[in-house]
């Protein structure tokens, strides 16, 4: 691993890169930072796989000291055949790393202390496990089980990280031909509240954003309009929790037939705002831990713009035009470190998936 430095349009960017490995912080909505300068990354020699899964290693990178420590290694070896195990997803809370390991026998959730490297298995299941997210206090995390066939339901599990108790919160399947439930994310502040989405073709999903609460069950929290001919006019998606747990940020995609298009917010009470930020053709959005900044990327031309929004001033800034193949894991998926001082994003650069780092102080006017 090495960190290189470049200046782009007056903005200083540090890149986490390597001559052999491709680097990723995975999906942007789950925290990967141990503290303000140490981040857990996944690296692989294979860039084309959707989530940097097979043969992957988890590594701890200190972006200030410019050091790297291997935490988990599932790379090929003489006693490990291709595909015998790999990392599917992970989330970090302090020194606690929780990751999903796939194998021929099924999926399992593991815990590791990144300081001591002590490791233990918390849960195993024969089906596919995905998308761990965790409460801010680190007490509860969620998992989603994807069914093995079209007769089973998608399942949301909640894991008590202290007791190890695993509880099913809800099960659901939407009607065919778009049955998928995914992007399950436990509230950062309320372990009895969980977001999930109705996944599928955005032009046909008219009820994308859903909320489950233990008290009230599940319901769609954001209404999507139809155009004059009855076609879907609002195409929503790529959502994430606000850090106070009072609502979610999401994108009204550039392909939405009805304007305006851009970054939106909906409260957990279903109080839906219209588009708040629309200067760029936004694609994904993430809220900083300080609640004041948003990071987003764009669908535009031959690059994906990495954008920064200061909600206090309304400032929308195109920070960088990132190279992309338009496939995972080269979506920029920008997000923030724990003290909101760094913006991190993916980029396809020199035939490598690299990670860019920009100081928010260099962006804020």
């Amino acid at each position: 691993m090495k960190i290189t430095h470049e200046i782009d349009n007056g903005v200083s960017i540090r890149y986490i890169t390597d001559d052999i490995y491709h680097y990723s912080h995975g999906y942007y909505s789950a925290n990967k930072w141990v503290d303000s300068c140490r981040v857990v990354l996944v690296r692989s020699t294979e860039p084309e796989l959707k989530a940097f899964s097979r043969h992957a290693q988890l590594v701890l990178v200190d972006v200030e000291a410019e050091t790297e420590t291997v935490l988990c290694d599932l790379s090929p070896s003489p006693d490990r055949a291709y595909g015998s195990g790999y990392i599917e997803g992970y989330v970090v809370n302090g020194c606690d790393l929780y990751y999903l390991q796939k194998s021929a026998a099924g999926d399992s959730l593991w815990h590791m202390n990144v300081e001591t490297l002590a490791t233990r298995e918390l849960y195993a299941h024969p089906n596919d496990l995905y998308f761990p997210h965790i409460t801010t206090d680190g007490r509860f995390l969620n998992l989603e089980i994807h069914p093995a066939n079209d007769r089973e339901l998608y399942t949301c599990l909640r894991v008590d990280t202290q007791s190890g108790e695993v509880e099913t919160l809800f099960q659901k399947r939407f009607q065919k031909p778009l049955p998928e439930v995914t992007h399950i994310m436990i509230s950062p502040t309320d372990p009895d509240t969980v977001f999930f989405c109705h996944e599928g073709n955005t032009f046909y999903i008219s009820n994308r954003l859903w909320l489950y609460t233990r008290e009230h069950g599940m319901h769609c929290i954001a209404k999507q309009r139809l155009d004059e001919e009855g076609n879907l006019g609002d195409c929503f998606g790529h959502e994430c929790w606000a850090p106070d747990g009072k609502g979610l940020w999401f994108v009204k995609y550039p392909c939405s037939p009805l304007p305006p298009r851009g970054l939106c917010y909906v409260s957990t009470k279903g109080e839906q705002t219209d588009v708040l930020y629309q200067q760029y053709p936004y694609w994904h959005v993430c809220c900083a831990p300080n609640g004041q900044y948003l990071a987003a990327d764009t669908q535009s031309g031959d690059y994906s713009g990495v954008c920064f929004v200061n909600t206090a001033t309304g400032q929308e800034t195109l920070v960088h035009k990132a190279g992309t193949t338009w496939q995972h894991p080269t979506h920029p998926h920008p997000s923030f470190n724990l003290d909101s001082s760094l913006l991190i994003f993916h980029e396809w650069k020199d035939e490598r998936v690299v990670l860019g780092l920009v100081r928010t102080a260099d962006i804020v006017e």
Side-chain angles (χ1 to χ4, degrees):
M1 186 274 298
K2 56 186 176 183
I3 295 183
T4 62
H5 300 252
E6 294 186 14
I7 302 293
D8 177 44
N9 197 28
V11 176
S12 176
I13 303 175
R14 291 179 293 162
Y15 283 107
I16 301 172
T17 184
D18 194 84
D19 295 330
I20 298 175
Y21 292 103
H22 307 264
Y23 282 82
S24 172
H25 60 71
Y27 202 63
Y28 66 92
S29 56
N31 175 62
K32 307 302 174 15
W33 291 85
V34 175
D35 49 39
S36 62
C37 61
R38 292 186 298 167
V39 60
V40 177
L41 304 176
V42 62
R43 71 180 189 181
S44 173
T45 58
E46 301 192 21
E48 72 277 6
L49 293 170
K50 182 176 181 180
F52 266 154
S53 298
R54 244 177 265 263
H55 302 169
Q57 298 177 345
L58 286 169
V59 295
L60 179 65
V61 172
D62 188 317
V63 300
E64 298 303 326
E66 301 188 7
T67 60
E68 178 180 57
T69 303
V70 176
L71 301 175
C72 178
D73 188 355
L74 296 175
S75 301
S77 65
D79 60 347
R80 186 185 297 122
Y82 178 86
S84 63
Y86 56 93
I87 305 300
E88 176 56 45
Y90 67 106
V91 64
V92 175
N93 185 274
C95 292
D96 296 310
L97 163 64
Y98 300 92
Y99 62 95
L100 297 176
Q101 182 172 325
K102 286 188 171 291
S103 70
D107 291 7
S108 53
L109 172 68
W110 291 78
H111 168 264
M112 175 186 289
N113 183 302
V114 300
E115 300 285 7
T116 67
L117 303 186
T119 304
R120 60 192 172 102
E121 184 180 50
L122 295 180
Y123 178 73
H125 195 278
N127 285 14
D128 293 330
L129 297 174
Y130 290 101
F131 233 58
H133 286 76
I134 197 165
T135 53
T136 303
D137 63 8
R139 176 65 186 273
F140 295 96
L141 63 81
N142 74 267
L143 299 173
E144 58 185 67
I145 300 177
H146 288 197
N149 56 64
D150 60 10
R151 297 182 302 277
E152 297 179 354
L153 300 175
Y154 294 84
T155 300
C156 172
L157 299 179
R158 189 180 72 177
V159 180
D160 186 324
T161 60
Q162 291 185 10
S163 69
E165 178 185 1
V166 179
E167 177 184 3
T168 296
L169 289 187
F170 67 85
Q171 293 182 302
K172 187 173 179 63
R173 172 184 284 271
F174 290 99
Q175 293 183 351
K176 292 181 179 179
L178 300 170
E180 188 173 359
V181 174
T182 187
H183 287 206
I184 299 176
M185 298 181 282
I186 196 166
S187 165
T189 58
D190 180 3
D192 290 331
T193 299
V194 178
F195 169 83
F196 66 95
C197 83
H198 182 183
E199 185 64 282
N201 188 314
T202 191
F203 291 107
Y204 299 105
I205 300 295
S206 59
N207 56 349
R208 165 83 182 196
L209 309 181
W210 286 72
L211 201 69
Y212 163 87
T213 65
R214 186 182 292 276
E215 182 179 1
H216 300 294
M218 60 187 80
H219 66 280
C220 180
I221 63 168
K223 306 304 179 184
Q224 294 168 243
R225 298 173 297 165
L226 304 181
D227 65 18
E228 294 179 353
E229 298 180 351
N231 299 309
L232 188 61
D234 292 341
C235 299
F236 290 170
H238 288 152
E239 52 290 312
C240 72
W241 278 103
D244 61 9
K246 294 180 179 180
L248 294 116
W249 288 94
F250 64 95
V251 180
K252 182 179 174 185
Y253 295 135
C255 64
S256 297
L258 293 177
R261 307 166 185 91
L263 305 183
C264 310
Y265 177 88
V266 62
S267 76
T268 54
K269 297 178 180 179
E271 298 164 342
Q272 184 174 343
T273 63
D274 203 345
V275 173
L276 297 176
Y277 305 101
Q278 54 182 299
Q279 185 170 340
Y280 300 102
Y282 293 115
W283 190 15
H284 305 85
V285 64
C286 185
C287 190
N290 67 6
Q292 182 178 332
Y293 306 146
L294 301 175
D297 54 21
T298 70
Q299 292 176 311
S300 49
D302 57 356
Y303 65 88
S304 180
V306 176
C307 298
F308 175 90
V309 177
N310 186 337
T311 63
T313 64
Q315 167 198 358
E316 298 176 64
T317 303
L318 176 62
V319 177
H320 176 62
K321 296 179 179 180
T324 179
T325 66
W326 303 108
Q327 301 295 321
H328 284 290
T330 72
H331 299 175
H333 283 171
S335 61
F336 296 90
N337 67 343
L338 290 178
D339 65 2
S340 307
S341 64
L342 288 176
L343 180 69
I344 186 171
F345 60 89
H346 298 99
E347 180 166 5
W348 181 249
K349 183 178 176 64
D350 300 326
E351 302 301 310
R352 292 279 161 203
V353 185
V354 301
L355 287 169
L357 297 164
V358 176
R359 298 188 186 278
T360 55
D362 294 342
I363 309 171
V364 178
E365 295 179 351

